[in-house]
Amino acid sequence: MSAKTPRARRRRTVAGLAAALVLLGGAGLLAWWNTDILGQDRFCGDALNSSEVSSVLGGPGRLAQSDLYEESDPYYSFSCKVQRTSKFLGGDQPLLEAELSFDKADFGLGSSRLWKNASASSYFVGGATGAVSQTQAWVLLPTGCAKEVRPASQHADVPVLKMNLTRGRSSPAALARAAVSTAQHVAEGLGCADTTALKMPSRLQGPVDDTAPADACGMKGFRLPEAALFKGKAEPGTARVTGHGSLTRVCEVMLQGPGGPRITLTVSNDPAMTKGVRRDETATQGSGRTVTACSPGDLYVAVSFNDAYRDVLLDQGKDAYETARAALFNSYRHAVGKEYGCPTGEE
């Protein structure tokens, strides 16, 4: 046997080991760049753990906190961003944004540019006051906290934790857990003495279709008044309602007409909601949103329109606009008053 054979065998062994190490190193880099192995355990100032963030930001890529702002002097502020990053996937990856904001308590129940289709959201049952979709969530925080007041705040505004998911979608349950966890953290930063209301919801009450011509929006005896309907422009259509499970219920009536006219009707006996809206002196029957004192407790009632329906009303003239608006609000308020045990009387 040649004396070179053992030497050659050793060289081949060393070369094989080196190749294996390269492969292992490459696999390690792949795992590092594209998974959460040995990644952060907590995000957003300890507001969220990695499993909560992973549940919202599904898919490949490494979790990275791209921004955190949390200050308590002279007043408390909070905002945070977490994103999936990857060395191998092109384009922008899903991004989760959370922030403490101050707004009217019912900001998410009507129809606004950023918070649309309130009837398509799922509302919390048996815990915190809030709502969630596949891309957005909001949670009302306790009022009267030590660091709630700030220079630009208004008396009508209440603290709210808002969460948005861009370039992706999540299960509402996962997004709700992340939003409530963050709300609990922010409430501590605000110096809230009573955070017992910020419990995880026991379940979510999602929307259901309601196509019955009678008992519209699942409300016994309620129908759209004739004064609110206009032939060829706003005729009866279908409705979507969030059901009876949650303390806050939203119904969106999709009328038949040019531009897709819609009417949103909301009722809530959630104390966090009614207490928050009572801080707003502009919340009156004339504004389409009000809180009524009832023997079982306060009841919030609101009626709002999208631009297409508002245009229909304006086209009919000022008198027709006011008549339709008042008829809608009064008929809905009477129906919910009877159902919730606080009759409003006839007008």
Side-chain angles (χ1 to χ4, degrees), residues 295-335:
S295 55
D298 284 350
L299 190 69
Y300 165 82
V301 182
V303 177
S304 59
F305 320 131
N306 71 346
D307 289 341
Y309 184 71
R310 184 174 287 104
D311 289 343
V312 169
L313 295 184
L314 291 174
D315 286 344
Q316 310 307 309
K318 183 178 179 180
D319 290 343
Y321 178 98
E322 291 299 330
T323 299
R325 185 202 60 75
L328 264 174
F329 191 90
N330 288 330
S331 61
Y332 185 63
R333 186 166 62 93
H334 291 151

Side-chain angles (χ1 to χ4, degrees), residues 162-242:
K162 298 178 182 179
M163 189 167 274
N164 282 280
L165 177 62
T166 57
R167 299 186 292 275
R169 291 180 178 272
S170 170
S171 74
L175 196 56
R177 284 192 297 271
V180 175
S181 289
T182 307
Q184 292 169 348
H185 173 86
V186 171
E188 292 180 5
L190 276 173
C192 300
D194 181 12
T195 59
T196 56
L198 291 177
K199 296 179 180 178
M200 287 290 174
S202 58
R203 67 180 182 88
L204 302 176
Q205 174 62 58
V208 295
D209 290 332
D210 170 27
T211 57
D215 299 337
C217 296
M219 194 70 62
K220 185 176 180 180
F222 174 66
R223 294 191 183 189
L224 293 179
E226 290 296 324
L229 301 172
F230 302 92
K231 187 174 180 60
K233 295 184 177 181
E235 299 189 41
T238 59
R240 180 176 57 201
V241 62
T242 54

Side-chain angles (χ1 to χ4, degrees), residues 2-18:
S2 171
K4 295 182 178 180
T5 300
R7 195 174 299 144
R9 188 178 296 125
R10 285 196 297 271
R11 282 199 296 267
R12 287 196 298 271
T13 301
V14 171
L17 288 171

Side-chain angles (χ1 to χ4, degrees), residues 258-347:
R262 297 188 179 194
I263 302 170
T264 303
L265 306 117
T266 309
V267 60
S268 178
N269 60 351
D270 187 322
M273 181 63 65
T274 57
K275 180 181 178 181
V277 175
R278 275 201 178 279
R279 297 176 60 160
D280 185 2
E281 295 179 357
T282 69
T284 64
Q285 181 175 340
S287 69
R289 45 195 285 269
T290 190
V291 176
T292 301
C294 307
S295 55
D298 284 350
L299 190 69
Y300 165 82
V301 182
V303 177
S304 59
F305 320 131
N306 71 346
D307 289 341
Y309 184 71
R310 184 174 287 104
D311 289 343
V312 169
L313 295 184
L314 291 174
D315 286 344
Q316 310 307 309
K318 183 178 179 180
D319 290 343
Y321 178 98
E322 291 299 330
T323 299
R325 185 202 60 75
L328 264 174
F329 191 90
N330 288 330
S331 61
Y332 185 63
R333 186 166 62 93
H334 291 151
V336 298
K338 291 176 182 178
E339 177 165 321
Y340 283 79
C342 49
T344 56
E346 299 295 327
E347 294 182 3

Side-chain angles (χ1 to χ4, degrees), residues 33-250:
W33 286 334
N34 213 41
T35 70
D36 295 320
I37 293 177
L38 299 178
Q40 287 183 239
D41 291 328
R42 308 289 304 186
F43 295 86
C44 298
D46 288 338
L48 294 168
N49 62 44
S50 59
S51 63
E52 289 172 320
V53 180
S54 293
S55 295
V56 175
L57 297 174
R62 193 165 187 79
L63 292 174
Q65 183 176 290
S66 59
D67 188 26
L68 170 64
Y69 180 78
E70 187 170 21
E71 295 289 340
S72 59
D73 189 20
Y75 52 85
Y76 180 76
S77 299
F78 175 90
S79 63
C80 181
K81 298 179 182 179
V82 184
Q83 187 173 24
R84 284 284 186 190
T85 61
S86 175
K87 295 287 185 180
F88 310 103
L89 300 178
D92 293 327
Q93 299 304 302
L95 172 67
L96 181 66
E97 301 177 82
E99 69 167 343
L100 166 63
S101 181
F102 287 81
D103 214 324
K104 292 179 173 59
D106 58 343
F107 80 98
L109 300 181
S111 179
S112 66
R113 184 175 62 86
L114 295 177
W115 299 85
K116 301 177 181 179
N117 302 331
S119 67
S121 295
S122 296
Y123 290 78
F124 296 178
V125 178
T129 298
V132 64
S133 67
Q134 292 182 318
T135 59
Q136 292 180 310
W138 56 265
V139 182
L140 292 187
L141 299 171
T143 57
C145 303
K147 296 182 180 179
E148 179 183 326
V149 179
R150 58 206 48 231
S153 67
Q154 300 179 11
H155 179 70
D157 293 341
V158 301
V160 55
L161 188 283
K162 298 178 182 179
M163 189 167 274
N164 282 280
L165 177 62
T166 57
R167 299 186 292 275
R169 291 180 178 272
S170 170
S171 74
L175 196 56
R177 284 192 297 271
V180 175
S181 289
T182 307
Q184 292 169 348
H185 173 86
V186 171
E188 292 180 5
L190 276 173
C192 300
D194 181 12
T195 59
T196 56
L198 291 177
K199 296 179 180 178
M200 287 290 174
S202 58
R203 67 180 182 88
L204 302 176
Q205 174 62 58
V208 295
D209 290 332
D210 170 27
T211 57
D215 299 337
C217 296
M219 194 70 62
K220 185 176 180 180
F222 174 66
R223 294 191 183 189
L224 293 179
E226 290 296 324
L229 301 172
F230 302 92
K231 187 174 180 60
K233 295 184 177 181
E235 299 189 41
T238 59
R240 180 176 57 201
V241 62
T242 54
H244 290 74
S246 64
L247 296 178
T248 297
R249 295 164 56 192
V250 182

